[in-house]
Amino acid sequence: MKQNSYDPDSFTSRMTGAETAAALVYLPIHVVLLPILLYKLPVTASMSELQINITVYITGAIYMLLTEMRFLRRDFDPLCDRPLYCILQVVICYAIMMACNMLLNSVLLQLLPSESQNPNNQAVVELAGLEYGKTAALAVFLAPLVEEPIFRGGIFGILRPHNRTLAYVVSMLLFSLYHVWGYAVSDPVYWLYLLQYLPVSWLLCRCYERCNSIWGSIFLHMTINAVSIYVLTAMAGYL
């Protein structure tokens, strides 16, 4: 009998209970509490948008390194055991993402006003136009290191042993909401851009699962952000 190329039971990446709790507790801090605090405190209120974002993500990266270092270290071993396979998974997932984006963009063109643009992408482009190097470092290195332990290691990881489908759905929805809710609160049309993040969210989960290592999704996330910020910035004429 022919076996499937991937066996879901082979997925063994797990955070401990303490590591999961640390990742999940930090989610509201990262998304809401820390940004509000930086905007409101007199000592940081004068900081630019880029400075606040960098502060949020540096704080998150330090937190993840302090609380999730053992998990990150454990999950590096599966990556080292099958480096070519993991690289292949990153490439495959990126190719699937490109195909999904082409399809989704054609759908969104029919649903959205012609002048409408993804607000998250637009914000990144504007920041990159001011300081490309710092914005690129934030998007490529800091964001994946903060977001993957939360959305894949924490949310996906805690649900997957109980219900694989639910793990995908919840991780995908929360990651997609994370990227659009701040803009959609002021303009409901931006909720449609949630659709753009669902394929990426699915593929980050898939890469994590297939590689059996959080580093698979971290490297895929880094690749997506690196190419995206370069292309978007170049298209805007900043490069």
Side-chain angles (χ1 to χ4, degrees):
M1 181 181 294
K2 183 179 180 180
Q3 295 183 342
N4 293 328
S5 58
Y6 174 71
D7 178 10
D9 292 334
S10 66
F11 181 73
T12 58
S13 174
R14 294 285 189 278
M15 282 183 170
T16 65
E19 290 164 347
T20 301
L24 297 182
V25 163
Y26 193 70
L27 177 57
I29 297 173
H30 175 71
V31 176
V32 179
L33 298 181
L34 185 55
I36 289 177
L37 189 65
L38 291 173
Y39 278 114
K40 296 296 184 181
L41 284 177
V43 69
T44 56
S46 61
M47 293 171 65
S48 68
E49 185 79 15
L50 179 58
Q51 288 173 327
I52 287 177
N53 275 280
I54 289 175
T55 302
V56 167
Y57 277 98
I58 287 179
T59 302
I62 293 172
Y63 177 87
M64 290 302 162
L65 290 175
L66 290 174
T67 61
E68 310 297 345
M69 179 59 77
R70 290 185 178 180
F71 168 65
L72 294 171
R73 173 62 188 87
R74 289 196 308 271
D75 259 32
F76 202 73
D77 289 337
L79 189 76
C80 294
D81 290 340
R82 300 188 298 171
L84 294 180
Y85 174 82
C86 292
I87 291 172
L88 179 62
Q89 291 305 313
V90 170
V91 172
I92 289 173
C93 288
Y94 189 86
I96 295 173
M97 184 205 70
M98 292 297 294
C100 290
N101 282 351
M102 291 178 62
L103 178 61
L104 272 175
N105 288 340
S106 65
V107 173
L108 289 173
L109 283 174
Q110 307 301 317
L111 299 175
L112 292 165
S114 58
E115 69 278 4
S116 180
Q117 298 183 51
N118 184 311
N120 188 63
N121 288 350
Q122 190 63 24
V124 171
V125 169
E126 290 173 0
L127 293 177
L130 297 174
E131 293 194 60
Y132 180 83
K134 291 181 180 179
T135 304
L138 185 157
V140 177
F141 298 107
L142 296 178
L145 187 59
V146 175
E147 295 168 10
E148 290 310 305
I150 294 175
F151 292 100
R152 254 58 64 180
I155 295 169
F156 181 85
I158 197 173
L159 293 174
R160 193 189 182 284
H162 308 287
N163 189 308
R164 184 177 177 229
T165 300
L166 183 64
Y168 268 92
V169 171
V170 173
S171 180
M172 288 167 59
L173 285 176
L174 289 179
F175 186 72
S176 301
L177 285 168
Y178 164 68
H179 283 85
V180 302
W181 77 272
Y183 306 100
V185 167
S186 59
D187 188 348
V189 73
Y190 288 138
W191 286 116
L192 288 171
Y193 283 104
L194 184 146
L195 297 173
Q196 283 191 327
Y197 292 97
L198 291 176
V200 177
S201 306
W202 163 55
L203 290 163
L204 287 168
C205 291
R206 182 185 187 274
C207 197
Y208 174 35
E209 189 180 49
R210 295 294 179 103
C211 293
N212 198 28
S213 169
I214 194 66
W215 289 101
S217 64
I218 288 175
F219 289 142
L220 175 61
H221 200 154
M222 286 180 171
T223 302
I224 292 170
N225 285 3
V227 176
S228 296
I229 194 171
Y230 179 82
V231 172
L232 290 170
T233 308
M235 290 175 63
Y238 293 129
L239 291 180

